[in-house]
Amino acid sequence: MHEHVFVLDPDVQQNYPAEWGSEDDRVADAVDKLKALSAQGIRSIADPTVIGLGRYIPRIQRIAEQVPELHIIAATGCYTYDQVPFFFFYRGPALSAAAGVDIPDPMVDMFVHDITEGIGDTGVKAAFLKCAIDHQGMTDGVARVMRAVARAHRLTGAPITVHTHPDTQSGLAVRQLLCAEEGVDATRVVLGHSGDSSDVDHLCALADEGFILGMDRFGINVGTTSETRADTVIEMCRRGYADRMVLSHDAACYIDWIDPNVLALMTQWNYLHIHDEVLPYMRARGVTEAQIDTMLVEVPRRYFEHNEAY
Ligand SMILES: [Zn+2]
């Protein structure tokens, strides 16, 4: 429910392409990794790569054609922890004060177009919306993107995934803006990266609001471990919250945000870790096949099937 194929900074890639190297080799590497994932029985991944993360659908199409057994679900939205990208900086609501009238945000039409018409001329439609809030909290830019995502969601019914920072309880700020102010139904929102926290009481409170919790960074052992992440899921299952969680790695075939020498040390951060290591650990500690099925199949199905506008 949260796997990238590539996470890139296109501006850097276009000017310093040496690390990326051969396009053909990168595509072949991605095909190999995604084939290995699908060989585990995974039929679909939701790829929340949007503006700010280097979304480039023609490259994904080239890969998808070679892994027809795997459905790669594309997203639209905008990823920032602070201000909007400069493209949007002097457009839409940024001009409202000077103009003396409310100017609609062009992001809304762009996101709606991606969902209803398709992304560029690729013919690929986005099926969900993505935005982010991190430790900086609800900055003006973060709030602007989140409102645009909320409006595109209400217009199209496409569900939402929010990158959150649970250690600062940013899910509460998401609830205030998305749900209280913009009228978004919490059951149609994944609070991504909830599994970075082991504060089970806080996570249960968000689940009680209706949110789906993304336990979606298995293999990122920064400030935590896979065992700690799994223990949180196990306790949430024990308390009856399997139908409020999804599992994922937030992995990528290649991400240029991290030094390749450091990436090489992150040995559990790959698409296979959950099935190879995490699920056996959970099963040994009382998580049932039915609960695993709920987290991996039923909740994602409910998320994507519940897609009417309102
Ligand atoms: Zn991600």
Side-chain angles (χ1 to χ4, degrees):
M1 273 291 277
H2 191 131
E3 307 291 357
H4 302 271
V5 180
F6 297 117
V7 176
L8 302 169
D9 185 325
D11 209 359
V12 175
Q13 292 293 341
Q14 283 164 23
N15 289 284
Y16 305 93
E19 184 181 292
W20 171 262
S22 158
E23 173 84 9
D24 287 349
D25 289 352
R26 290 288 179 193
V27 167
D29 179 60
V31 168
D32 286 347
K33 287 172 176 167
L34 292 169
K35 278 189 176 298
L37 171 67
S38 71
Q40 289 183 320
I42 299 291
R43 296 199 202 116
S44 307
I45 57 170
D47 179 352
T49 306
V50 294
I51 298 299
L53 295 167
R55 186 184 71 179
Y56 183 56
I57 295 298
R59 181 181 288 131
I60 302 299
Q61 286 177 294
R62 195 179 156 202
I63 292 163
E65 283 163 9
Q66 298 175 64
V67 196
E69 62 273 32
L70 185 72
H71 189 198
I72 303 172
I73 304 170
T76 187
C78 180
Y79 186 91
T80 180
Y81 300 164
D82 192 353
Q83 67 181 31
V84 294
F86 281 109
F87 181 90
F88 300 106
F89 208 76
Y90 299 106
R91 299 176 192 240
L95 304 175
S96 292
V101 290
D102 277 344
I103 300 179
D105 201 317
M107 272 187 256
V108 178
D109 286 344
M110 292 163 79
F111 299 162
V112 168
H113 187 276
D114 282 355
I115 294 163
T116 59
E117 304 295 323
I119 297 166
D121 61 0
T122 64
V124 173
K125 291 180 180 174
F128 66 118
L129 287 143
K130 168 84 178 291
C131 58
I133 179 170
D134 207 82
H135 71 274
Q136 295 89 338
M138 193 62 78
T139 67
D140 289 350
V142 164
R144 186 176 150 190
V145 173
M146 207 172 286
R147 281 192 206 288
V149 161
R151 287 166 194 179
H153 161 76
R154 296 284 304 268
L155 288 167
T156 63
I160 300 172
T161 289
V162 187
H163 161 114
T164 66
H165 186 259
D167 285 345
T168 50
Q169 301 204 338
S170 59
L172 300 176
V174 172
R175 184 192 60 178
Q176 174 61 31
L177 189 144
L178 274 191
C179 304
E181 297 175 23
E182 296 291 334
V184 171
D185 174 355
T187 67
R188 301 171 74 167
V189 179
V190 169
L191 295 179
H193 314 329
S194 292
D196 287 0
S197 170
S198 52
D199 182 347
V200 173
D201 290 340
H202 173 58
L203 297 178
C204 288
L206 293 170
D208 288 340
E209 297 280 346
F211 289 112
I212 301 164
L213 306 178
M215 315 307 274
D216 54 15
R217 279 179 155 176
F218 278 99
I220 304 183
N221 301 327
V222 177
T224 185
T225 64
S226 267
E227 288 77 11
T228 300
R229 292 180 187 277
D231 290 342
T232 303
V233 173
I234 293 164
E235 174 60 15
M236 298 279 294
C237 284
R238 196 189 63 76
R239 295 192 192 185
Y241 288 92
D243 70 346
R244 284 280 176 270
M245 291 188 285
V246 289
L247 308 179
S248 215
H249 305 95
D250 198 8
C253 297
Y254 171 70
I255 172 169
D256 71 8
W257 294 15
I258 302 169
D259 188 306
N261 295 313
V262 175
L263 269 181
L265 302 174
M266 300 176 71
T267 55
Q268 289 187 313
W269 197 29
N270 64 76
Y271 298 139
L272 309 182
H273 174 51
I274 288 176
H275 275 70
D276 284 351
E277 292 162 304
V278 176
L279 295 184
Y281 179 94
M282 289 181 181
R283 287 188 185 105
R285 286 158 185 81
V287 176
T288 66
E289 290 307 316
Q291 288 171 322
I292 289 169
D293 214 51
T294 296
M295 295 185 282
L296 288 178
V297 180
E298 286 175 26
V299 179
R301 179 181 290 150
R302 187 178 76 211
Y303 175 78
F304 282 110
E305 283 184 350
H306 187 180
N307 62 355
E308 40 318 320
Y310 59 105

